[in-house]
Amino acid sequence: MTEHDEHRQQSLTQATEARGLEALISRAARAGKGAAPVERWNPDFCGDLDMEIKADGTWFYLGTPIGRMPLVQLFSSVLRKDADGRTYLVTPVEKVGIRVADAPFIAVEMDVSGSGDEQIITFRTNVGDVVEAGPERPLRFIDENETGGLKPYVLVRGRLEALVGRPVMYELVGHGEEIEIGGKAMFAVRSKGAVFPIMPADQLKRLSV
């Protein structure tokens, strides 16, 4: 095959993928307004799409950022993470795999109301979801080995989480307090009656020295 033929074949492949994406957009748009009931749909798996959500929350298709926020919001409404650990775009008639570098969403803003057991921490994601952390949408904190820092996540829906952005994380930690959990002093935050441990209190003290 000549270089011209190879280039032509690649162009045809990209054109086919583009038409497939257009069709997927059309079906996703019909699937629902807001988050669609993807957990109830069981379509056939139709292969992988060259789409990735980067660690900063930017969506890429064919290596190019998707700059139209309404389109990103549309795709985010039909996202589903399955028990196999993979993330898919799901409509009533198809399921296609995409790549996710970290979490599919980023929590970019937070609000705190009330205090003590009545405290509620509410997050807004980069695609417009509003989530109240609590028993049904827990917060979890993992150590970031590369930097020695902390990465908080909040469950948005299904198995899909939002990574709490760094500026928001500092604000979140500012609402932490020392709470005894299982007989051990923990630095933790409260929301909707639930307590979410961040780290042992003595570890925080060592870090603060």
Side-chain angles (χ1 to χ4, degrees):
M1 182 181 289
T2 67
E3 183 176 340
H4 174 75
D5 290 335
E6 288 179 356
H7 178 73
R8 180 173 178 274
Q9 183 62 41
Q10 289 174 355
S11 297
L12 287 172
T13 300
Q14 290 176 355
T16 300
E17 288 188 354
R19 285 196 297 272
L21 182 65
E22 290 172 3
L24 182 63
I25 291 169
S26 175
R27 287 189 285 275
R30 293 197 301 269
K33 303 298 182 183
V38 293
E39 306 299 331
R40 300 203 300 265
W41 298 338
N42 293 291
D44 291 334
F45 175 62
C46 300
D48 293 325
L49 196 64
D50 187 6
M51 184 177 286
E52 181 175 13
I53 305 174
K54 299 289 189 180
D56 66 356
T58 303
W59 289 59
F60 280 73
Y61 177 64
L62 295 176
T64 301
I66 300 176
R68 293 171 52 200
M69 180 50 65
L71 188 54
V72 169
Q73 290 172 323
L74 173 62
F75 283 137
S76 73
S77 73
V78 292
L79 271 182
R80 190 176 81 193
K81 185 174 182 179
D82 285 358
D84 62 5
R86 296 197 60 200
T87 303
Y88 302 90
L89 297 175
V90 182
T91 75
V93 297
E94 66 201 315
K95 180 171 82 169
V96 295
I98 68 168
R99 302 184 303 279
V100 180
D102 193 339
F105 309 126
I106 305 291
V108 295
E109 186 179 3
M110 66 170 276
D111 176 75
V112 179
S113 62
S115 61
D117 289 337
E118 303 301 315
Q119 179 167 281
I120 299 175
I121 302 175
T122 305
F123 297 94
R124 180 179 63 83
T125 73
N126 59 320
V127 294
D129 294 297
V130 176
V131 178
E132 291 183 349
E136 295 181 353
R137 292 182 172 83
L139 279 160
R140 67 181 181 100
F141 298 82
I142 66 169
D143 293 324
E144 192 173 21
N145 296 326
E146 299 81 4
T147 64
L150 197 66
K151 292 177 72 174
Y153 297 83
V154 60
L155 186 65
V156 176
R157 60 179 180 273
R159 297 183 180 90
L160 301 171
E161 292 181 309
L163 171 65
V164 178
R166 193 158 296 277
V168 182
M169 182 199 72
Y170 292 134
E171 184 179 354
L172 174 64
V173 170
H175 291 276
E177 56 185 298
E178 189 171 315
I179 302 173
E180 186 174 309
I181 303 174
K184 185 174 183 179
M186 299 292 294
F187 184 64
V189 291
R190 305 175 188 263
S191 186
K192 297 189 75 173
V195 176
F196 303 106
I198 299 174
M199 66 178 66
D202 57 356
Q203 180 182 342
L204 177 65
K205 290 173 183 176
R206 288 196 301 271
L207 293 174
S208 302
V209 173

